[in-house]
Amino acid sequence: MIITQLSGGLGNQMYQYATGRRLAHVRGVPLKLDLTGYGPLGDTQAPGLEEFRRHVRIKKLNISAKDATLQEIAALRDPYTENSRTVSRVVRQLRRFIPRLGLPHTHFAEKRYRFDPEVLSLESPCFLQGFWQSEKYFEDIADIIRTELRPSDPQVLEYARNHVDSIRRPGETVVSLHVRRGELAVAQEKLKSTKGTFGPPTSLNFIERALAEFPSGHRFLVFSDSAPDIEWCRKNIRAEKLHFSEGHDDIQDMTLMSACDHHIIASTFSWWGAWLNNSPDKRVVAPSQWGHPGGPMVTDDLIPKTWKMV
């Protein structure tokens, strides 16, 4: 059995599922999900960002995994993680000097942001804790992942295809343009703090440079986190042939992205929107700066070689 711990929003959940699914597929064992990081109100956010709590959304997709029981999780997971008992705090402190102190061999935690080939050779049973943001963890079963990370509701797929077709004009293609704002914008512009965020909101500089990669023959379908964020896009993005995705949830938005011809991405969410588009002719433009400057999030293994960074 493989148990993968889910955390964060839909994009993160998809990486965690895909990596666990690949390992379970190769080992011929079931995959189960650890959902204990989400309470009735969602996950935990930094002070001032509580309205942006994440929820388990991956179950709206065509996944094959079941929920792990507390007993199954306890049998494989590190007993000293996320525990406030004194002995647990002491063990975690000592791990700065003895990294694997008290850590069961069944618990494998992500060591760094870059791709770790050791994950591909892990045996069952295993508990995975990390973000695993690289297609290298699951590219050898890409067809399975693309099938299972589609909406379970076929009407969502049909709507997305029809919606994008209604935007497309003869001789033109549709480019998805994702502008990541949400809690990143609130943290930077209102709280004046980066605590609890992975990076700044999408900059106008990146938007302008990315749009310049598609000089003619394109229409742009703009996505963002909320109605106020879409309004920000309307006021600040200076380009022709803009259309805006409004009134859709995250599953619908990601499916709409994947139905577009080309992609301008800004986060792991839109990374998946682009990756799920299996067209060999697609072009994908991503920001060269991923996360806070000088932070741990690097693009070495995140951005596929055929995508362009600006």
Side-chain angles (χ1 to χ4, degrees):
M1 174 174 59
I2 305 298
I3 298 179
T4 186
Q5 183 185 64
L6 296 192
S7 61
L10 178 60
N12 285 328
Q13 293 168 28
M14 292 168 71
Y15 284 111
Q16 292 153 352
Y17 175 85
T19 301
R21 181 69 176 89
R22 186 269 176 192
L23 191 57
H25 174 78
V26 170
R27 298 294 172 240
V29 298
L31 173 66
K32 296 198 174 184
L33 309 177
D34 172 11
L35 307 180
T36 57
Y38 301 87
L41 299 179
D43 66 1
T44 302
Q45 293 292 323
L49 301 177
E50 292 85 356
E51 66 179 291
F52 299 101
R53 291 178 183 271
R54 308 301 188 190
H55 301 271
V56 178
R57 296 289 292 158
I58 198 168
K59 290 189 177 185
K60 295 291 185 180
L61 306 181
N62 193 35
I63 64 173
S64 60
K66 306 295 184 183
D67 295 355
T69 66
L70 293 178
Q71 291 78 13
E72 289 170 332
I73 294 169
L76 303 181
R77 188 171 67 179
D78 176 11
Y80 302 107
T81 188
E82 300 172 6
N83 189 308
S84 61
R85 291 180 302 174
T86 300
V87 65
S88 297
R89 292 197 299 270
V90 170
V91 169
R92 290 198 295 269
Q93 289 291 324
L94 289 174
R95 282 180 180 168
R96 291 185 296 178
F97 311 100
I98 313 173
R100 294 197 63 83
L101 177 66
L103 189 68
H105 72 279
T106 53
H107 185 128
F108 193 89
E110 190 172 36
K111 301 171 185 175
R112 56 192 178 277
Y113 192 72
R114 289 181 173 88
F115 168 68
D116 183 352
E118 185 179 355
V119 174
L120 302 183
S121 59
L122 292 174
E123 298 291 340
S124 171
C126 183
F127 181 94
L128 293 174
Q129 177 190 12
F131 292 100
W132 322 114
Q133 293 180 359
S134 171
E135 71 169 349
K136 294 179 181 180
Y137 288 118
F138 48 84
E139 61 185 342
D140 57 346
I141 63 162
D143 289 344
I144 293 175
I145 298 303
R146 285 193 170 96
T147 297
E148 296 187 0
L149 293 185
R150 292 291 188 184
S152 55
D153 183 353
Q155 292 185 352
V156 176
L157 287 165
E158 182 180 4
Y159 171 81
R161 288 191 292 265
N162 292 338
H163 188 77
V164 173
D165 284 345
S166 72
I167 294 172
R168 193 181 287 111
R169 298 291 184 270
E172 294 183 332
T173 64
V174 179
V175 182
S176 68
L177 167 58
H178 184 217
V179 179
R180 181 72 168 85
R181 287 184 58 76
E183 80 277 13
L184 308 185
V186 171
Q188 177 173 292
E189 299 167 7
K190 181 179 178 181
L191 302 181
K192 309 298 182 183
S193 170
T194 61
K195 185 176 181 180
T197 62
F198 74 85
T202 306
S203 70
L204 280 172
N205 177 263
F206 167 72
I207 295 171
E208 291 166 358
R209 294 172 67 184
L211 287 171
E213 294 290 322
F214 300 93
S216 62
H218 308 284
R219 290 180 177 269
F220 300 91
L221 180 54
V222 182
F223 300 83
S224 198
D225 300 67
S226 66
D229 293 322
I230 285 291
E231 185 60 28
W232 183 94
C233 294
R234 288 185 184 277
K235 292 179 178 178
N236 289 278
I237 299 177
R238 298 289 180 260
E240 296 181 351
K241 300 180 180 179
L242 294 179
H243 304 259
F244 298 88
S245 177
E246 298 180 274
H248 303 125
D249 64 19
D250 51 356
I251 302 293
Q252 292 170 316
D253 265 351
M254 183 173 289
T255 309
L256 283 164
M257 287 182 189
S258 69
C260 293
D261 303 294
H262 308 292
H263 310 275
I264 297 172
I265 71 171
S267 73
T268 57
F269 180 82
S270 45
W271 185 101
W272 278 105
W275 191 87
L276 289 171
N277 174 5
N278 200 26
S279 170
D281 300 321
K282 72 181 179 185
R283 294 176 57 205
V284 184
V285 177
S288 56
Q289 179 62 54
W290 201 269
H292 293 297
M297 298 182 71
V298 293
T299 59
D300 301 42
D301 299 308
L302 171 68
I303 305 300
K305 300 301 183 185
T306 57
W307 298 8
K308 183 173 183 178
M309 292 183 288
V310 300

